[in-house]
Amino acid sequence: MRTTISLCSKLKYLGLLGLPMFFSNLPIWKYMWLFWLFGILEIIFTFPTFLQQLYQILGMLFIAIKNIFLKSERNIQSEIDYSLPFQGEWLVINGGINKELSHSWEINSQRYAYDFLIVDSEGRSFSLDGKKLVSYYCYGKDILSPADGIVIKIYDKCKDSKIMPKQATDPLIRDIRGNYIVIKHTEDEYSVLAHLKQGSIVVKEGEFIKRLQKIAQCGNSGNTSEPHLHFQVQDGKSFFYSEGKKIRFRNLCRLIQPNYEKIDPRKIVKSEKTYLEESYIHRGMAVKNKIEE
């Protein structure tokens, strides 16, 4: 099935060869136009994630209307300070508090989200050839609650996604978040921890949990190219219709990952103020919690 979906995603573009049908009556151009049917097949095969992409677009429109036309007050700064949701040193591979470093600036709920993984001294996130999930350093590592709160949503129906060539994402996923947990911290502040390992969640909906309490293990479920943890804070329960908040951390150790340019070719653009503010992190930093008091 993965091969079929991949083939459809490529063949649909042959439909561009049918554009001359608007200027010529030759039947060949109409036949070439039929290649767009492969695009419809691709949508059918990947409909669950296609639907979620539509939700994201609708969420962008919804938040724009709420903030502009309804003139709602925006509070993009987290109300409380969070701990990193893991033990030991992890690398921020995606995320920051400005547009240049943002995880996904145009997707409101994920604007200030982060992706974390573990690398070795050579900047590799896996041992051996990286074809097996267990060879990734962060796979199966404990994920912790970033702050006190109440678990309001758990999803644990996704198997780990397959490691695909060239860091592509698995086309057979059914939820872009994979397995995830949503925690309510205040009336207007919720955290989401995603791409969790199936069967590893050890808390229940409605349960009150404490900061740095184990809640699950890192996995490779959902829209991932390799095992990592996705973490974000938002102003509502919905992953698609909430607005993301800048996450202010406490008891944080951080440093620029040595030779990060060998790990990630993307340029790091940051303001001096952003870097000097010890409560925030961005892509290219190695981070860990200080010992909690």
Side-chain angles (χ1 to χ4, degrees), residues 42-94:
E42 182 185 12
I43 291 174
I44 293 173
F45 290 143
T46 62
F47 188 72
T49 52
F50 172 77
L51 196 60
Q52 289 185 333
Q53 290 170 352
L54 290 181
Y55 290 159
Q56 287 182 330
I57 295 172
L58 291 174
M60 292 162 63
L61 295 173
F62 171 77
I63 293 172
I65 293 171
K66 182 180 72 171
N67 289 332
I68 298 175
F69 295 102
L70 300 182
K71 301 185 184 302
S72 65
E73 294 184 5
R74 302 176 65 200
N75 179 19
I76 60 173
Q77 170 65 58
S78 64
E79 299 176 32
I80 62 176
D81 294 344
Y82 291 86
S83 298
L84 294 165
F86 43 73
Q87 296 174 325
E89 185 175 277
W90 292 49
L91 174 66
V92 184
I93 198 66
N94 274 314

Side-chain angles (χ1 to χ4, degrees), residues 45-46 48-49 161 169-176 221-224:
F45 290 143
T46 62
T49 52
S161 300
T169 56
D170 190 338
L172 291 184
I173 64 171
R174 291 295 177 262
D175 193 295
I176 59 177
S221 57
N223 189 43
T224 67

Side-chain angles (χ1 to χ4, degrees), residues 114-272:
Y114 292 99
D115 289 335
F116 299 98
L117 47 72
I118 298 175
V119 297
D120 58 24
S121 58
E122 297 179 354
R124 289 163 54 91
S125 58
F126 55 86
S127 60
L128 303 176
D129 59 7
K131 292 183 178 180
K132 295 183 178 180
L133 292 174
V134 293
S135 66
Y136 287 81
Y137 300 124
C138 68
Y139 184 76
K141 294 293 185 182
D142 289 345
I143 301 303
L144 314 177
S145 173
D148 295 353
I150 298 173
V151 178
I152 65 164
K153 179 66 176 179
I154 287 174
Y155 189 81
D156 190 35
K157 297 181 180 180
C158 294
K159 296 181 179 179
D160 283 315
S161 300
K162 182 180 179 181
I163 298 294
M164 303 294 291
K166 300 180 180 180
Q167 292 195 315
T169 56
D170 190 338
L172 291 184
I173 64 171
R174 291 295 177 262
D175 193 295
I176 59 177
R177 298 159 291 187
N179 304 313
Y180 62 90
I181 298 174
V182 181
I183 306 170
K184 179 180 179 180
H185 302 287
T186 72
E187 285 301 317
D188 300 307
E189 199 151 292
Y190 301 75
S191 65
V192 180
L193 300 102
H195 308 317
L196 305 175
K197 183 179 179 182
Q198 188 178 35
S200 73
I201 297 175
V202 294
V203 293
K204 299 178 180 179
E205 291 184 4
E207 180 179 349
F208 177 80
I209 55 178
K210 301 289 290 182
R211 183 185 297 269
L212 297 181
Q213 176 181 334
K214 178 182 175 181
I215 57 176
Q217 292 178 345
C218 183
N220 193 51
S221 57
N223 189 43
T224 67
S225 57
E226 66 175 271
H228 69 279
L229 173 68
H230 177 95
F231 173 54
Q232 67 184 55
V233 172
Q234 56 195 39
D235 65 1
K237 300 178 183 179
S238 172
F239 183 78
F240 301 104
Y241 301 109
S242 299
E243 188 159 19
K245 291 191 171 187
K246 294 180 181 179
I247 306 173
R248 190 176 60 232
F249 293 94
R250 80 179 199 189
N251 293 335
L252 180 68
C253 290
R254 61 183 196 150
L255 55 87
I256 296 297
Q257 176 71 30
N259 300 315
Y260 182 70
E261 66 278 1
K262 295 181 179 180
I263 303 172
D264 185 350
R266 293 174 297 172
K267 185 178 180 181
I268 296 179
V269 180
K270 62 181 187 298
S271 67
E272 195 64 23

